[in-house]
Amino acid sequence: MKKLTLSVLAMAAIAIGASAQAVERPGFFDNVSLGLDGGVTTPMRGQAFFGSMRGNVGLHVAKQITPVLGLGVEGVFGINTSSWEGYQHSSTAFDNSYVGVYGTADLFNLFGGYKCAVRPFNIEAVLGAGWGHNYVNDMGREDRPDYNYFATKAGLNFNFNVTDRFTVSLKPYVLWNMAGDYDESSVAYNINKATFNLMAGVSYRFGDGFDCVRPYDQGEVDALNSQVNALRGEVAASTAAAQAWETKANGLAAELQACRDRKPEVIKEVTNNFSSVRFVFFRVGSHKVTADQMPNVEMIADYMKNHPKSTVTIKGYASPEGNFEFNVKLAQNRAEAVKLLLTKRYHIAADRITAEGEGIGNMFEEESWNRVSICTLDEGK
């Protein structure tokens, strides 16, 4: 008994030490579970193991003190379906009962540490002690009345945590009758006075579970404060930069508005010694002035309208390829085509225009550029 007590105390000390540094404990009514158990019981020695087996039912209420250590109260009753040692069945529904307290140690959390969450599966070591009672009611044997005895138990709970609150368990354990029968009073662990029990249970947990808390670390706090101060410095620098950009933007906006408000100035060229050449290019074998060449003709016309004394000399050219006589005539037609546009469309006097066909042109290395009319403007006096 002394060894059992020391073992329980040692297990409790380890459990409290292992869980105190990482877990914030919930309230008094949190982590309380209520459950039902059912299974079988049979003597360890002296009787047929399976032949003497009978049913067991039970009820338990438990409180998880830490992620490792738990305490509970339970009641277990053996159903009256058989008799041991040749006794008659009792007149009650049960042949025996056990009411006791027990402690549990979660072996996974004890050796593997609490993971801040309910594990899908865990194993608990169980130690307990309580009051046992046999219902004999053998009226023909006055030396075999009902009797009470001190009992202890040891076993394991294999827990399948279906959810954070609902658990299904398989519970094998051994229950010892620590006293002898009737007038015997010796206390001992005797295998001949023990029963093997296999129970299956379901339980539901009420209230909040355990919350993980991180221990206070001054070094970590100082490091975080340094990061916060650095970020504040970056924010201040960014704010200053943003203000500088805003100031610059306001200055540019003011300059833009000043430009918009400025009245336009017309600058007139006092002297103009204009002397220019304009080119009008043609397609192969054609003297038609195409639309893409009209801006060049229009520039000539505009200049001559603005300068009434100006004149223009137009010389037409053809590229070297092809029939020579045809190219000579084509060159003349190209010069006349530009003159015709100036006189008919832009109403420039014909006597201000000289149109000449120069024949084959070799002015440019790119032969296609030689299909051209070269218009030389003279400002006049």
Side-chain angles (χ1 to χ4, degrees):
M1 183 63 183
K2 184 177 180 180
K3 291 182 179 180
L4 176 64
T5 303
L6 291 175
S7 299
V8 173
L9 292 176
M11 184 177 296
I14 294 174
I16 293 173
S19 60
Q21 57 184 339
V23 175
E24 185 178 84
R25 293 174 177 80
F28 180 79
F29 293 102
D30 293 323
N31 271 337
V32 174
S33 59
L34 176 65
L36 297 174
D37 302 303
V40 294
T41 179
T42 188
M44 293 286 288
R45 293 280 183 85
Q47 302 291 326
F49 187 83
F50 292 103
S52 300
M53 191 173 288
R54 70 181 68 181
N56 261 359
V57 293
L59 175 70
H60 67 268
V61 179
K63 165 75 173 178
Q64 196 70 27
I65 307 300
T66 73
V68 175
L69 179 64
L71 297 175
V73 179
E74 65 180 339
V76 182
F77 301 88
I79 300 174
N80 185 357
T81 58
S82 64
S83 295
W84 294 344
E85 301 181 2
Y87 297 162
Q88 296 179 1
H89 289 191
S90 67
S91 59
T92 65
F94 304 102
D95 281 344
N96 67 321
S97 62
Y98 167 78
V99 178
V101 295
Y102 63 90
T104 60
D106 189 315
L107 301 181
F108 283 21
N109 288 340
L110 177 62
F111 296 107
Y114 182 54
K115 302 301 183 182
C116 302
V118 177
R119 300 175 187 268
F121 172 76
N122 67 303
I123 300 175
E124 295 175 323
V126 183
L127 295 176
W131 168 60
H133 184 82
N134 283 355
Y135 303 90
V136 178
N137 288 328
D138 191 349
M139 301 306 295
R141 297 279 303 277
E142 293 182 1
D143 60 331
R144 292 180 181 272
D146 289 6
Y147 68 95
N148 301 314
Y149 56 91
F150 175 63
T152 61
K153 65 175 289 185
L156 296 172
N157 290 345
F158 298 91
N159 299 322
F160 299 89
N161 300 302
V162 181
T163 68
D164 289 349
R165 297 185 179 274
F166 184 71
T167 301
V168 178
S169 304
L170 185 64
K171 305 177 178 181
Y173 67 90
V174 177
L175 183 70
W176 285 274
N177 179 348
M178 303 300 294
D181 292 339
Y182 308 109
D183 57 348
E184 298 178 14
S185 58
S186 60
V187 177
Y189 285 95
N190 187 344
I191 195 66
N192 295 309
K193 298 298 181 181
T195 59
F196 173 77
N197 302 267
L198 182 61
M199 305 289 282
V202 292
S203 60
Y204 184 83
R205 181 179 63 81
F206 298 90
D208 296 328
F210 296 103
D211 292 327
C212 285
V213 294
R214 299 181 63 186
Y216 183 83
D217 186 341
Q218 185 61 48
E220 184 176 1
V221 172
D222 293 341
L224 290 174
N225 283 331
S226 297
Q227 293 182 18
V228 171
N229 292 332
L231 290 174
R232 286 174 177 170
E234 292 179 8
V235 170
S238 298
T239 302
Q243 291 175 349
W245 279 109
E246 184 177 1
T247 301
K248 186 174 182 180
N250 292 336
L252 292 174
E255 292 181 14
L256 176 61
Q257 188 61 42
C259 290
R260 289 174 176 172
D261 295 340
R262 186 183 304 159
K263 293 182 179 180
E265 297 180 8
V266 178
I267 299 175
K268 184 175 181 181
E269 188 73 32
V270 177
T271 60
N272 183 6
N273 298 320
F274 179 85
S275 177
S276 180
V277 176
R278 291 290 180 268
F279 300 92
V280 179
F281 292 94
F282 296 86
R283 299 185 184 280
V284 177
S286 173
H287 62 273
K288 180 180 179 181
V289 179
T290 55
D292 60 317
Q293 298 300 311
M294 286 302 298
N296 295 325
V297 179
E298 187 174 354
M299 289 175 66
I300 298 169
D302 288 343
Y303 182 84
M304 296 185 76
K305 287 180 179 179
N306 293 330
H307 299 79
K309 294 183 179 180
S310 62
T311 61
V312 61
T313 300
I314 305 172
K315 294 185 178 183
Y317 294 88
S319 56
E321 68 270 9
N323 182 271
F324 178 80
E325 290 76 8
F326 175 81
N327 285 338
V328 171
K329 184 177 181 180
L330 181 60
Q332 180 64 39
N333 289 339
R334 284 173 175 170
E336 292 293 339
V338 176
K339 179 179 180 179
L340 185 63
L341 280 173
L342 290 174
T343 56
K344 296 297 182 182
R345 177 173 294 189
Y346 297 104
H347 308 291
I348 304 298
D351 59 358
R352 299 173 60 191
I353 305 170
T354 302
E356 302 173 353
E358 292 296 310
I360 306 302
N362 289 297
M363 296 80 64
F364 304 103
E365 293 182 2
E366 188 67 33
E367 291 186 356
S368 62
W369 293 7
N370 291 310
R371 297 191 293 270
V372 64
S373 286
I374 300 177
C375 310
T376 304
L377 287 162
D378 188 351
E379 183 181 5
K381 302 296 182 179

